[in-house]
PDB file of all heavy atoms in Angstrom:
ATOM      1  N   GLN A  14      -1.580  13.198  24.197  1.00 92.00           N
ATOM      2  CA  GLN A  14      -1.478  14.183  25.166  1.00 92.00           C
ATOM      3  C   GLN A  14      -1.070  15.608  24.758  1.00 92.00           C
ATOM      4  O   GLN A  14      -0.500  15.654  23.632  1.00 92.00           O
ATOM      5  CB  GLN A  14      -0.246  13.759  26.245  1.00 92.00           C
ATOM      6  CG  GLN A  14      -0.012  14.604  27.415  1.00 92.00           C
ATOM      7  CD  GLN A  14       1.062  14.101  28.310  1.00 92.00           C
ATOM      8  OE1 GLN A  14       1.269  12.908  28.473  1.00 92.00           O
ATOM      9  NE2 GLN A  14       1.850  14.969  28.871  1.00 92.00           N
ATOM     10  N   SER A  15      -1.539  16.675  25.520  1.00 93.00           N
ATOM     11  CA  SER A  15      -1.054  17.977  25.289  1.00 93.00           C
ATOM     12  C   SER A  15      -0.033  18.378  26.369  1.00 93.00           C
ATOM     13  O   SER A  15      -0.106  17.873  27.505  1.00 93.00           O
ATOM     14  CB  SER A  15      -2.317  18.937  25.333  1.00 93.00           C
ATOM     15  OG  SER A  15      -3.076  18.747  24.158  1.00 93.00           O
ATOM     16  N   ALA A  16       0.745  19.339  26.059  1.00 94.00           N
ATOM     17  CA  ALA A  16       1.691  19.797  26.932  1.00 94.00           C
ATOM     18  C   ALA A  16       1.995  21.364  26.647  1.00 94.00           C
ATOM     19  O   ALA A  16       2.185  21.767  25.656  1.00 94.00           O
ATOM     20  CB  ALA A  16       3.079  19.119  26.785  1.00 94.00           C
ATOM     21  N   ALA A  17       1.924  22.038  27.878  1.00 92.00           N
ATOM     22  CA  ALA A  17       2.151  23.389  27.867  1.00 92.00           C
ATOM     23  C   ALA A  17       3.815  23.733  27.930  1.00 92.00           C
ATOM     24  O   ALA A  17       4.199  24.870  27.570  1.00 92.00           O
ATOM     25  CB  ALA A  17       1.551  24.184  28.993  1.00 92.00           C
ATOM     26  N   HIS A  18       4.508  22.816  28.496  1.00 93.00           N
ATOM     27  CA  HIS A  18       5.933  22.927  28.578  1.00 93.00           C
ATOM     28  C   HIS A  18       6.646  21.697  28.221  1.00 93.00           C
ATOM     29  O   HIS A  18       6.028  20.525  28.316  1.00 93.00           O
ATOM     30  CB  HIS A  18       6.342  23.303  29.979  1.00 93.00           C
ATOM     31  CG  HIS A  18       5.713  24.539  30.609  1.00 93.00           C
ATOM     32  ND1 HIS A  18       6.124  25.814  30.384  1.00 93.00           N
ATOM     33  CD2 HIS A  18       4.519  24.612  31.313  1.00 93.00           C
ATOM     34  CE1 HIS A  18       5.299  26.705  30.957  1.00 93.00           C
ATOM     35  NE2 HIS A  18       4.412  26.034  31.580  1.00 93.00           N
ATOM     36  N   PHE A  19       7.781  21.731  27.745  1.00 94.00           N
ATOM     37  CA  PHE A  19       8.549  20.619  27.170  1.00 94.00           C
ATOM     38  C   PHE A  19       8.620  19.460  28.173  1.00 94.00           C
ATOM     39  O   PHE A  19       8.399  18.326  27.835  1.00 94.00           O
ATOM     40  CB  PHE A  19      10.035  20.984  26.793  1.00 94.00           C
ATOM     41  CG  PHE A  19      10.808  19.949  26.310  1.00 94.00           C
ATOM     42  CD1 PHE A  19      10.628  19.312  25.112  1.00 94.00           C
ATOM     43  CD2 PHE A  19      11.865  19.366  27.120  1.00 94.00           C
ATOM     44  CE1 PHE A  19      11.501  18.186  24.649  1.00 94.00           C
ATOM     45  CE2 PHE A  19      12.639  18.265  26.624  1.00 94.00           C
ATOM     46  CZ  PHE A  19      12.425  17.716  25.423  1.00 94.00           C
ATOM     47  N   LYS A  20       8.856  19.797  29.437  1.00 94.00           N
ATOM     48  CA  LYS A  20       9.030  18.773  30.535  1.00 94.00           C
ATOM     49  C   LYS A  20       7.731  17.942  30.690  1.00 94.00           C
ATOM     50  O   LYS A  20       7.768  16.936  31.403  1.00 94.00           O
ATOM     51  CB  LYS A  20       9.495  19.379  31.853  1.00 94.00           C
ATOM     52  CG  LYS A  20       8.556  20.399  32.423  1.00 94.00           C
ATOM     53  CD  LYS A  20       8.988  21.096  33.605  1.00 94.00           C
ATOM     54  CE  LYS A  20       8.097  22.043  34.322  1.00 94.00           C
ATOM     55  NZ  LYS A  20       8.634  22.664  35.500  1.00 94.00           N
ATOM     56  N   GLU A  21       6.540  18.460  30.216  1.00 94.00           N
ATOM     57  CA  GLU A  21       5.358  17.763  30.484  1.00 94.00           C
ATOM     58  C   GLU A  21       5.067  16.804  29.363  1.00 94.00           C
ATOM     59  O   GLU A  21       4.142  15.869  29.483  1.00 94.00           O
ATOM     60  CB  GLU A  21       4.222  18.828  30.508  1.00 94.00           C
ATOM     61  CG  GLU A  21       4.304  19.822  31.573  1.00 94.00           C
ATOM     62  CD  GLU A  21       3.249  20.870  31.492  1.00 94.00           C
ATOM     63  OE1 GLU A  21       2.483  20.923  30.491  1.00 94.00           O
ATOM     64  OE2 GLU A  21       3.128  21.752  32.405  1.00 94.00           O
ATOM     65  N   LEU A  22       5.835  16.709  28.274  1.00 93.00           N
ATOM     66  CA  LEU A  22       5.733  15.684  27.297  1.00 93.00           C
ATOM     67  C   LEU A  22       5.972  14.318  27.815  1.00 93.00           C
ATOM     68  O   LEU A  22       6.903  14.122  28.695  1.00 93.00           O
ATOM     69  CB  LEU A  22       6.470  16.006  26.049  1.00 93.00           C
ATOM     70  CG  LEU A  22       6.165  17.253  25.236  1.00 93.00           C
ATOM     71  CD1 LEU A  22       7.226  17.624  24.205  1.00 93.00           C
ATOM     72  CD2 LEU A  22       4.899  16.786  24.304  1.00 93.00           C
ATOM     73  N   THR A  64      -2.046  26.488  21.359  1.00 82.00           N
ATOM     74  CA  THR A  64      -1.230  27.091  22.348  1.00 82.00           C
ATOM     75  C   THR A  64      -0.296  25.987  23.114  1.00 82.00           C
ATOM     76  O   THR A  64       0.348  26.336  23.956  1.00 82.00           O
ATOM     77  CB  THR A  64      -1.997  27.902  23.292  1.00 82.00           C
ATOM     78  OG1 THR A  64      -2.902  26.955  24.041  1.00 82.00           O
ATOM     79  CG2 THR A  64      -2.796  28.964  22.640  1.00 82.00           C
ATOM     80  N   LEU A  65      -0.523  24.694  22.672  1.00 89.00           N
ATOM     81  CA  LEU A  65       0.133  23.601  23.375  1.00 89.00           C
ATOM     82  C   LEU A  65       0.907  22.740  22.320  1.00 89.00           C
ATOM     83  O   LEU A  65       0.485  22.828  21.119  1.00 89.00           O
ATOM     84  CB  LEU A  65      -0.877  22.744  24.112  1.00 89.00           C
ATOM     85  CG  LEU A  65      -1.749  23.575  25.091  1.00 89.00           C
ATOM     86  CD1 LEU A  65      -2.836  22.542  25.604  1.00 89.00           C
ATOM     87  CD2 LEU A  65      -0.985  24.024  26.303  1.00 89.00           C
ATOM     88  N   ALA A  66       1.689  21.840  22.780  1.00 93.00           N
ATOM     89  CA  ALA A  66       2.253  20.788  21.926  1.00 93.00           C
ATOM     90  C   ALA A  66       1.245  19.641  21.966  1.00 93.00           C
ATOM     91  O   ALA A  66       0.993  19.066  23.135  1.00 93.00           O
ATOM     92  CB  ALA A  66       3.697  20.344  22.313  1.00 93.00           C
ATOM     93  N   ASN A  67       0.685  19.284  20.971  1.00 93.00           N
ATOM     94  CA  ASN A  67      -0.350  18.265  20.909  1.00 93.00           C
ATOM     95  C   ASN A  67       0.302  17.029  20.205  1.00 93.00           C
ATOM     96  O   ASN A  67       0.612  17.048  19.056  1.00 93.00           O
ATOM     97  CB  ASN A  67      -1.608  18.704  20.146  1.00 93.00           C
ATOM     98  CG  ASN A  67      -2.288  19.729  20.899  1.00 93.00           C
ATOM     99  OD1 ASN A  67      -2.560  19.762  22.077  1.00 93.00           O
ATOM    100  ND2 ASN A  67      -2.480  20.962  20.187  1.00 93.00           N
ATOM    101  N   PRO A  81       2.671  25.010  18.700  1.00 91.00           N
ATOM    102  CA  PRO A  81       2.024  26.286  18.512  1.00 91.00           C
ATOM    103  C   PRO A  81       2.667  27.067  17.407  1.00 91.00           C
ATOM    104  O   PRO A  81       3.847  26.842  16.883  1.00 91.00           O
ATOM    105  CB  PRO A  81       2.439  26.947  19.945  1.00 91.00           C
ATOM    106  CG  PRO A  81       2.687  25.826  20.821  1.00 91.00           C
ATOM    107  CD  PRO A  81       3.376  24.793  19.983  1.00 91.00           C
ATOM    108  N   GLU A  92       2.753  34.853  27.200  1.00 79.00           N
ATOM    109  CA  GLU A  92       2.239  33.631  26.601  1.00 79.00           C
ATOM    110  C   GLU A  92       3.011  33.341  25.214  1.00 79.00           C
ATOM    111  O   GLU A  92       3.414  32.165  24.945  1.00 79.00           O
ATOM    112  CB  GLU A  92       0.742  33.844  26.315  1.00 79.00           C
ATOM    113  CG  GLU A  92       0.069  32.648  25.644  1.00 79.00           C
ATOM    114  CD  GLU A  92      -0.107  31.370  26.631  1.00 79.00           C
ATOM    115  OE1 GLU A  92       0.505  31.397  27.709  1.00 79.00           O
ATOM    116  OE2 GLU A  92      -0.816  30.325  26.249  1.00 79.00           O
ATOM    117  N   ASP A  94       6.101  34.159  24.768  1.00 85.00           N
ATOM    118  CA  ASP A  94       7.412  33.620  25.183  1.00 85.00           C
ATOM    119  C   ASP A  94       7.287  32.089  25.569  1.00 85.00           C
ATOM    120  O   ASP A  94       8.278  31.313  25.212  1.00 85.00           O
ATOM    121  CB  ASP A  94       7.856  34.410  26.389  1.00 85.00           C
ATOM    122  CG  ASP A  94       8.298  35.858  26.063  1.00 85.00           C
ATOM    123  OD1 ASP A  94       8.595  36.107  24.827  1.00 85.00           O
ATOM    124  OD2 ASP A  94       8.469  36.650  26.993  1.00 85.00           O
ATOM    125  N   ARG A  95       6.231  31.684  26.141  1.00 88.00           N
ATOM    126  CA  ARG A  95       6.113  30.268  26.437  1.00 88.00           C
ATOM    127  C   ARG A  95       5.983  29.506  25.252  1.00 88.00           C
ATOM    128  O   ARG A  95       6.545  28.353  25.154  1.00 88.00           O
ATOM    129  CB  ARG A  95       4.801  30.152  27.360  1.00 88.00           C
ATOM    130  CG  ARG A  95       4.562  28.583  27.753  1.00 88.00           C
ATOM    131  CD  ARG A  95       3.325  28.306  28.563  1.00 88.00           C
ATOM    132  NE  ARG A  95       2.127  28.512  27.716  1.00 88.00           N
ATOM    133  CZ  ARG A  95       1.638  27.718  26.813  1.00 88.00           C
ATOM    134  NH1 ARG A  95       2.325  26.643  26.573  1.00 88.00           N
ATOM    135  NH2 ARG A  95       0.582  28.091  26.145  1.00 88.00           N
ATOM    136  N   TRP A  96       5.165  29.886  24.207  1.00 84.00           N
ATOM    137  CA  TRP A  96       5.126  29.226  23.002  1.00 84.00           C
ATOM    138  C   TRP A  96       6.483  29.000  22.361  1.00 84.00           C
ATOM    139  O   TRP A  96       6.805  27.908  21.910  1.00 84.00           O
ATOM    140  CB  TRP A  96       4.250  30.049  22.000  1.00 84.00           C
ATOM    141  CG  TRP A  96       2.821  30.108  22.408  1.00 84.00           C
ATOM    142  CD1 TRP A  96       2.201  29.540  23.456  1.00 84.00           C
ATOM    143  CD2 TRP A  96       1.806  30.991  21.784  1.00 84.00           C
ATOM    144  NE1 TRP A  96       0.952  30.023  23.546  1.00 84.00           N
ATOM    145  CE2 TRP A  96       0.608  30.872  22.558  1.00 84.00           C
ATOM    146  CE3 TRP A  96       1.793  31.813  20.643  1.00 84.00           C
ATOM    147  CZ2 TRP A  96      -0.464  31.565  22.232  1.00 84.00           C
ATOM    148  CZ3 TRP A  96       0.705  32.490  20.310  1.00 84.00           C
ATOM    149  CH2 TRP A  96      -0.436  32.511  21.205  1.00 84.00           C
ATOM    150  N   SER A  97       7.253  30.171  22.300  1.00 89.00           N
ATOM    151  CA  SER A  97       8.592  30.152  21.640  1.00 89.00           C
ATOM    152  C   SER A  97       9.485  29.149  22.380  1.00 89.00           C
ATOM    153  O   SER A  97      10.198  28.428  21.657  1.00 89.00           O
ATOM    154  CB  SER A  97       9.173  31.525  21.631  1.00 89.00           C
ATOM    155  OG  SER A  97       8.473  32.386  20.901  1.00 89.00           O
ATOM    156  N   LYS A  98       9.416  29.177  23.657  1.00 92.00           N
ATOM    157  CA  LYS A  98      10.379  28.276  24.459  1.00 92.00           C
ATOM    158  C   LYS A  98       9.900  26.894  24.266  1.00 92.00           C
ATOM    159  O   LYS A  98      10.797  25.961  24.082  1.00 92.00           O
ATOM    160  CB  LYS A  98      10.246  28.704  25.922  1.00 92.00           C
ATOM    161  CG  LYS A  98      11.161  27.698  26.792  1.00 92.00           C
ATOM    162  CD  LYS A  98      11.258  28.218  28.130  1.00 92.00           C
ATOM    163  CE  LYS A  98      12.097  27.224  29.105  1.00 92.00           C
ATOM    164  NZ  LYS A  98      13.289  26.761  28.438  1.00 92.00           N
ATOM    165  N   LEU A  99       8.655  26.540  24.155  1.00 94.00           N
ATOM    166  CA  LEU A  99       8.087  25.269  23.928  1.00 94.00           C
ATOM    167  C   LEU A  99       8.576  24.724  22.611  1.00 94.00           C
ATOM    168  O   LEU A  99       9.114  23.490  22.419  1.00 94.00           O
ATOM    169  CB  LEU A  99       6.568  25.248  24.064  1.00 94.00           C
ATOM    170  CG  LEU A  99       5.864  23.865  23.750  1.00 94.00           C
ATOM    171  CD1 LEU A  99       6.349  22.799  24.615  1.00 94.00           C
ATOM    172  CD2 LEU A  99       4.299  24.056  23.895  1.00 94.00           C
ATOM    173  N   ILE A 100       8.452  25.519  21.558  1.00 94.00           N
ATOM    174  CA  ILE A 100       8.817  25.199  20.120  1.00 94.00           C
ATOM    175  C   ILE A 100      10.362  24.928  20.208  1.00 94.00           C
ATOM    176  O   ILE A 100      10.711  23.883  19.690  1.00 94.00           O
ATOM    177  CB  ILE A 100       8.482  26.299  19.136  1.00 94.00           C
ATOM    178  CG1 ILE A 100       6.928  26.350  19.011  1.00 94.00           C
ATOM    179  CG2 ILE A 100       9.011  25.956  17.836  1.00 94.00           C
ATOM    180  CD1 ILE A 100       6.461  27.660  18.243  1.00 94.00           C
ATOM    181  N   ASP A 102      12.482  24.355  22.702  1.00 95.00           N
ATOM    182  CA  ASP A 102      12.835  23.184  23.513  1.00 95.00           C
ATOM    183  C   ASP A 102      12.619  21.828  22.806  1.00 95.00           C
ATOM    184  O   ASP A 102      13.368  20.944  22.814  1.00 95.00           O
ATOM    185  CB  ASP A 102      12.211  23.251  24.823  1.00 95.00           C
ATOM    186  CG  ASP A 102      12.823  24.326  25.794  1.00 95.00           C
ATOM    187  OD1 ASP A 102      13.863  24.909  25.356  1.00 95.00           O
ATOM    188  OD2 ASP A 102      12.230  24.545  26.902  1.00 95.00           O
TER     189      ASP A 102
END
Side-chain angles (χ1 to χ4, degrees):
Q14 183 180 322
S15 292
H18 304 278
F19 176 74
K20 64 184 180 181
E21 297 172 357
L22 285 166
T64 63
L65 306 170
N67 298 306
E92 185 69 352
D94 286 345
R95 182 185 64 79
W96 299 348
S97 295
K98 181 171 173 51
L99 175 58
I100 293 169
D102 283 352

